[in-house]
PDB file of all heavy atoms in Angstrom:
ATOM      1  N   ALA A1228       1.435  -7.814 -19.876  1.00  0.00           N
ATOM      2  CA  ALA A1228       1.463  -9.228 -20.259  1.00  0.00           C
ATOM      3  C   ALA A1228       2.884  -9.660 -20.632  1.00  0.00           C
ATOM      4  O   ALA A1228       3.296 -10.782 -20.339  1.00  0.00           O
ATOM      5  CB  ALA A1228       0.504  -9.468 -21.422  1.00  0.00           C
ATOM      6  N   ASP A1229       3.632  -8.755 -21.247  1.00  0.00           N
ATOM      7  CA  ASP A1229       5.002  -9.077 -21.667  1.00  0.00           C
ATOM      8  C   ASP A1229       5.915  -9.399 -20.485  1.00  0.00           C
ATOM      9  O   ASP A1229       6.968 -10.001 -20.657  1.00  0.00           O
ATOM     10  CB  ASP A1229       5.616  -7.911 -22.460  1.00  0.00           C
ATOM     11  CG  ASP A1229       5.000  -7.777 -23.847  1.00  0.00           C
ATOM     12  OD1 ASP A1229       4.320  -8.743 -24.282  1.00  0.00           O
ATOM     13  OD2 ASP A1229       5.168  -6.718 -24.483  1.00  0.00           O
ATOM     14  N   LYS A1230       5.519  -8.984 -19.298  1.00  0.00           N
ATOM     15  CA  LYS A1230       6.334  -9.286 -18.120  1.00  0.00           C
ATOM     16  C   LYS A1230       6.429 -10.792 -17.911  1.00  0.00           C
ATOM     17  O   LYS A1230       7.434 -11.282 -17.419  1.00  0.00           O
ATOM     18  CB  LYS A1230       5.736  -8.637 -16.864  1.00  0.00           C
ATOM     19  CG  LYS A1230       5.875  -7.122 -16.822  1.00  0.00           C
ATOM     20  CD  LYS A1230       5.124  -6.558 -15.621  1.00  0.00           C
ATOM     21  CE  LYS A1230       5.042  -5.041 -15.660  1.00  0.00           C
ATOM     22  NZ  LYS A1230       6.358  -4.425 -15.404  1.00  0.00           N
ATOM     23  N   ASN A1231       5.331 -11.471 -18.237  1.00  0.00           N
ATOM     24  CA  ASN A1231       5.366 -12.929 -18.163  1.00  0.00           C
ATOM     25  C   ASN A1231       4.198 -13.520 -18.958  1.00  0.00           C
ATOM     26  O   ASN A1231       3.099 -13.688 -18.440  1.00  0.00           O
ATOM     27  CB  ASN A1231       5.294 -13.404 -16.713  1.00  0.00           C
ATOM     28  CG  ASN A1231       5.635 -14.879 -16.604  1.00  0.00           C
ATOM     29  OD1 ASN A1231       5.302 -15.674 -17.492  1.00  0.00           O
ATOM     30  ND2 ASN A1231       6.299 -15.247 -15.545  1.00  0.00           N
ATOM     31  N   PRO A1232       4.461 -13.870 -20.219  1.00  0.00           N
ATOM     32  CA  PRO A1232       3.400 -14.363 -21.105  1.00  0.00           C
ATOM     33  C   PRO A1232       2.764 -15.665 -20.614  1.00  0.00           C
ATOM     34  O   PRO A1232       1.694 -16.043 -21.088  1.00  0.00           O
ATOM     35  CB  PRO A1232       4.121 -14.583 -22.441  1.00  0.00           C
ATOM     36  CG  PRO A1232       5.379 -13.791 -22.338  1.00  0.00           C
ATOM     37  CD  PRO A1232       5.753 -13.760 -20.890  1.00  0.00           C
ATOM     38  N   GLN A1233       3.419 -16.344 -19.670  1.00  0.00           N
ATOM     39  CA  GLN A1233       2.796 -17.559 -19.154  1.00  0.00           C
ATOM     40  C   GLN A1233       1.697 -17.218 -18.154  1.00  0.00           C
ATOM     41  O   GLN A1233       0.771 -17.989 -17.942  1.00  0.00           O
ATOM     42  CB  GLN A1233       3.839 -18.407 -18.446  1.00  0.00           C
ATOM     43  CG  GLN A1233       4.151 -19.680 -19.193  1.00  0.00           C
ATOM     44  CD  GLN A1233       5.130 -20.498 -18.391  1.00  0.00           C
ATOM     45  OE1 GLN A1233       6.251 -20.052 -18.107  1.00  0.00           O
ATOM     46  NE2 GLN A1233       4.719 -21.686 -18.007  1.00  0.00           N
ATOM     47  N   TRP A1234       1.820 -16.050 -17.531  1.00  0.00           N
ATOM     48  CA  TRP A1234       0.808 -15.608 -16.559  1.00  0.00           C
ATOM     49  C   TRP A1234      -0.358 -14.948 -17.283  1.00  0.00           C
ATOM     50  O   TRP A1234      -1.513 -15.145 -16.918  1.00  0.00           O
ATOM     51  CB  TRP A1234       1.453 -14.658 -15.549  1.00  0.00           C
ATOM     52  CG  TRP A1234       0.516 -14.090 -14.518  1.00  0.00           C
ATOM     53  CD1 TRP A1234       0.134 -12.792 -14.399  1.00  0.00           C
ATOM     54  CD2 TRP A1234      -0.172 -14.798 -13.484  1.00  0.00           C
ATOM     55  NE1 TRP A1234      -0.746 -12.642 -13.351  1.00  0.00           N
ATOM     56  CE2 TRP A1234      -0.953 -13.857 -12.771  1.00  0.00           C
ATOM     57  CE3 TRP A1234      -0.207 -16.144 -13.082  1.00  0.00           C
ATOM     58  CZ2 TRP A1234      -1.756 -14.212 -11.679  1.00  0.00           C
ATOM     59  CZ3 TRP A1234      -1.007 -16.488 -12.003  1.00  0.00           C
ATOM     60  CH2 TRP A1234      -1.769 -15.537 -11.315  1.00  0.00           C
ATOM     61  N   ILE A1235      -0.052 -14.166 -18.315  1.00  0.00           N
ATOM     62  CA  ILE A1235      -1.117 -13.524 -19.091  1.00  0.00           C
ATOM     63  C   ILE A1235      -0.889 -13.850 -20.567  1.00  0.00           C
ATOM     64  O   ILE A1235       0.019 -13.309 -21.196  1.00  0.00           O
ATOM     65  CB  ILE A1235      -1.112 -11.991 -18.873  1.00  0.00           C
ATOM     66  CG1 ILE A1235      -1.283 -11.667 -17.375  1.00  0.00           C
ATOM     67  CG2 ILE A1235      -2.235 -11.324 -19.678  1.00  0.00           C
ATOM     68  CD1 ILE A1235      -1.145 -10.192 -17.026  1.00  0.00           C
ATOM     69  N   SER A1236      -1.709 -14.763 -21.108  1.00  0.00           N
ATOM     70  CA  SER A1236      -1.520 -15.226 -22.480  1.00  0.00           C
ATOM     71  C   SER A1236      -2.054 -14.213 -23.487  1.00  0.00           C
ATOM     72  O   SER A1236      -2.781 -13.285 -23.115  1.00  0.00           O
ATOM     73  CB  SER A1236      -2.255 -16.557 -22.671  1.00  0.00           C
ATOM     74  OG  SER A1236      -3.655 -16.313 -22.608  1.00  0.00           O
ATOM     75  N   ALA A1237      -1.725 -14.427 -24.769  1.00  0.00           N
ATOM     76  CA  ALA A1237      -2.186 -13.522 -25.841  1.00  0.00           C
ATOM     77  C   ALA A1237      -3.710 -13.471 -25.873  1.00  0.00           C
ATOM     78  O   ALA A1237      -4.320 -12.415 -26.060  1.00  0.00           O
ATOM     79  CB  ALA A1237      -1.633 -13.989 -27.181  1.00  0.00           C
ATOM     80  N   GLU A1238      -4.313 -14.641 -25.671  1.00  0.00           N
ATOM     81  CA  GLU A1238      -5.770 -14.715 -25.670  1.00  0.00           C
ATOM     82  C   GLU A1238      -6.359 -13.896 -24.521  1.00  0.00           C
ATOM     83  O   GLU A1238      -7.351 -13.174 -24.674  1.00  0.00           O
ATOM     84  CB  GLU A1238      -6.150 -16.193 -25.524  1.00  0.00           C
ATOM     85  CG  GLU A1238      -7.602 -16.518 -25.705  1.00  0.00           C
ATOM     86  CD  GLU A1238      -7.900 -17.931 -25.182  1.00  0.00           C
ATOM     87  OE1 GLU A1238      -6.942 -18.742 -25.088  1.00  0.00           O
ATOM     88  OE2 GLU A1238      -9.073 -18.208 -24.866  1.00  0.00           O
ATOM     89  N   GLU A1239      -5.726 -14.004 -23.381  1.00  0.00           N
ATOM     90  CA  GLU A1239      -6.196 -13.251 -22.210  1.00  0.00           C
ATOM     91  C   GLU A1239      -6.016 -11.748 -22.376  1.00  0.00           C
ATOM     92  O   GLU A1239      -6.832 -10.964 -21.885  1.00  0.00           O
ATOM     93  CB  GLU A1239      -5.479 -13.751 -20.944  1.00  0.00           C
ATOM     94  CG  GLU A1239      -5.970 -15.118 -20.513  1.00  0.00           C
ATOM     95  CD  GLU A1239      -5.114 -15.746 -19.413  1.00  0.00           C
ATOM     96  OE1 GLU A1239      -3.887 -15.513 -19.394  1.00  0.00           O
ATOM     97  OE2 GLU A1239      -5.673 -16.488 -18.595  1.00  0.00           O
ATOM     98  N   VAL A1240      -4.973 -11.361 -23.091  1.00  0.00           N
ATOM     99  CA  VAL A1240      -4.757  -9.925 -23.346  1.00  0.00           C
ATOM    100  C   VAL A1240      -5.992  -9.337 -24.021  1.00  0.00           C
ATOM    101  O   VAL A1240      -6.495  -8.285 -23.631  1.00  0.00           O
ATOM    102  CB  VAL A1240      -3.490  -9.697 -24.218  1.00  0.00           C
ATOM    103  CG1 VAL A1240      -3.463  -8.280 -24.769  1.00  0.00           C
ATOM    104  CG2 VAL A1240      -2.237  -9.978 -23.411  1.00  0.00           C
ATOM    105  N   LYS A1241      -6.501 -10.050 -25.019  1.00  0.00           N
ATOM    106  CA  LYS A1241      -7.699  -9.574 -25.745  1.00  0.00           C
ATOM    107  C   LYS A1241      -8.904  -9.456 -24.796  1.00  0.00           C
ATOM    108  O   LYS A1241      -9.623  -8.457 -24.798  1.00  0.00           O
ATOM    109  CB  LYS A1241      -8.038 -10.547 -26.890  1.00  0.00           C
ATOM    110  CG  LYS A1241      -7.170 -10.383 -28.103  1.00  0.00           C
ATOM    111  CD  LYS A1241      -7.645  -9.203 -28.979  1.00  0.00           C
ATOM    112  CE  LYS A1241      -6.488  -8.488 -29.645  1.00  0.00           C
ATOM    113  NZ  LYS A1241      -6.351  -7.078 -29.356  1.00  0.00           N
ATOM    114  N   LEU A1242      -9.105 -10.528 -24.001  1.00  0.00           N
ATOM    115  CA  LEU A1242     -10.259 -10.536 -23.088  1.00  0.00           C
ATOM    116  C   LEU A1242     -10.145  -9.429 -22.036  1.00  0.00           C
ATOM    117  O   LEU A1242     -11.130  -8.774 -21.702  1.00  0.00           O
ATOM    118  CB  LEU A1242     -10.371 -11.903 -22.392  1.00  0.00           C
ATOM    119  CG  LEU A1242     -10.734 -13.088 -23.300  1.00  0.00           C
ATOM    120  CD1 LEU A1242     -10.580 -14.411 -22.547  1.00  0.00           C
ATOM    121  CD2 LEU A1242     -12.163 -12.937 -23.822  1.00  0.00           C
ATOM    122  N   ILE A1243      -8.944  -9.219 -21.551  1.00  0.00           N
ATOM    123  CA  ILE A1243      -8.730  -8.182 -20.525  1.00  0.00           C
ATOM    124  C   ILE A1243      -8.981  -6.805 -21.115  1.00  0.00           C
ATOM    125  O   ILE A1243      -9.604  -5.944 -20.486  1.00  0.00           O
ATOM    126  CB  ILE A1243      -7.306  -8.301 -19.921  1.00  0.00           C
ATOM    127  CG1 ILE A1243      -7.230  -9.537 -19.024  1.00  0.00           C
ATOM    128  CG2 ILE A1243      -6.921  -7.043 -19.138  1.00  0.00           C
ATOM    129  CD1 ILE A1243      -5.845  -9.888 -18.530  1.00  0.00           C
ATOM    130  N   GLU A1244      -8.523  -6.622 -22.348  1.00  0.00           N
ATOM    131  CA  GLU A1244      -8.758  -5.353 -23.027  1.00  0.00           C
ATOM    132  C   GLU A1244     -10.258  -5.069 -23.128  1.00  0.00           C
ATOM    133  O   GLU A1244     -10.724  -3.983 -22.775  1.00  0.00           O
ATOM    134  CB  GLU A1244      -8.156  -5.451 -24.428  1.00  0.00           C
ATOM    135  CG  GLU A1244      -7.711  -4.151 -25.012  1.00  0.00           C
ATOM    136  CD  GLU A1244      -7.082  -4.408 -26.376  1.00  0.00           C
ATOM    137  OE1 GLU A1244      -6.014  -5.064 -26.423  1.00  0.00           O
ATOM    138  OE2 GLU A1244      -7.669  -3.994 -27.390  1.00  0.00           O
ATOM    139  N   GLU A1245     -11.014  -6.080 -23.569  1.00  0.00           N
ATOM    140  CA  GLU A1245     -12.477  -5.911 -23.664  1.00  0.00           C
ATOM    141  C   GLU A1245     -13.077  -5.606 -22.301  1.00  0.00           C
ATOM    142  O   GLU A1245     -13.913  -4.727 -22.154  1.00  0.00           O
ATOM    143  CB  GLU A1245     -13.138  -7.189 -24.209  1.00  0.00           C
ATOM    144  CG  GLU A1245     -13.046  -7.327 -25.719  1.00  0.00           C
ATOM    145  CD  GLU A1245     -13.351  -8.765 -26.154  1.00  0.00           C
ATOM    146  OE1 GLU A1245     -14.127  -9.462 -25.453  1.00  0.00           O
ATOM    147  OE2 GLU A1245     -12.795  -9.188 -27.191  1.00  0.00           O
ATOM    148  N   GLU A1246     -12.641  -6.367 -21.308  1.00  0.00           N
ATOM    149  CA  GLU A1246     -13.204  -6.173 -19.976  1.00  0.00           C
ATOM    150  C   GLU A1246     -12.927  -4.760 -19.454  1.00  0.00           C
ATOM    151  O   GLU A1246     -13.834  -4.080 -18.968  1.00  0.00           O
ATOM    152  CB  GLU A1246     -12.642  -7.213 -18.994  1.00  0.00           C
ATOM    153  CG  GLU A1246     -13.273  -7.077 -17.612  1.00  0.00           C
ATOM    154  CD  GLU A1246     -12.646  -8.000 -16.567  1.00  0.00           C
ATOM    155  OE1 GLU A1246     -12.158  -9.097 -16.922  1.00  0.00           O
ATOM    156  OE2 GLU A1246     -12.634  -7.608 -15.382  1.00  0.00           O
ATOM    157  N   ILE A1247     -11.702  -4.306 -19.594  1.00  0.00           N
ATOM    158  CA  ILE A1247     -11.354  -2.980 -19.060  1.00  0.00           C
ATOM    159  C   ILE A1247     -12.114  -1.891 -19.800  1.00  0.00           C
ATOM    160  O   ILE A1247     -12.712  -1.008 -19.185  1.00  0.00           O
ATOM    161  CB  ILE A1247      -9.829  -2.739 -19.118  1.00  0.00           C
ATOM    162  CG1 ILE A1247      -9.138  -3.615 -18.076  1.00  0.00           C
ATOM    163  CG2 ILE A1247      -9.502  -1.257 -18.872  1.00  0.00           C
ATOM    164  CD1 ILE A1247      -7.650  -3.416 -17.951  1.00  0.00           C
ATOM    165  N   LEU A1248     -12.121  -1.968 -21.118  1.00  0.00           N
ATOM    166  CA  LEU A1248     -12.776  -0.894 -21.867  1.00  0.00           C
ATOM    167  C   LEU A1248     -14.279  -0.849 -21.588  1.00  0.00           C
ATOM    168  O   LEU A1248     -14.883   0.219 -21.571  1.00  0.00           O
ATOM    169  CB  LEU A1248     -12.494  -1.024 -23.359  1.00  0.00           C
ATOM    170  CG  LEU A1248     -11.029  -0.713 -23.731  1.00  0.00           C
ATOM    171  CD1 LEU A1248     -10.780  -0.894 -25.218  1.00  0.00           C
ATOM    172  CD2 LEU A1248     -10.593   0.676 -23.283  1.00  0.00           C
ATOM    173  N   SER A1249     -14.900  -2.007 -21.339  1.00  0.00           N
ATOM    174  CA  SER A1249     -16.349  -1.980 -21.131  1.00  0.00           C
ATOM    175  C   SER A1249     -16.747  -1.719 -19.668  1.00  0.00           C
ATOM    176  O   SER A1249     -17.859  -1.285 -19.407  1.00  0.00           O
ATOM    177  CB  SER A1249     -16.991  -3.278 -21.637  1.00  0.00           C
ATOM    178  OG  SER A1249     -16.481  -4.365 -20.910  1.00  0.00           O
TER     179      SER A1249
END
Side-chain angles (χ1 to χ4, degrees):
D1229 288 345
K1230 289 174 189 289
N1231 193 325
Q1233 249 183 300
W1234 178 247
I1235 302 174
S1236 68
E1238 189 195 338
E1239 287 170 327
V1240 166
K1241 282 280 146 238
L1242 293 170
I1243 288 171
E1244 208 178 294
E1245 280 164 29
E1246 183 186 330
I1247 289 184
L1248 290 178
S1249 62

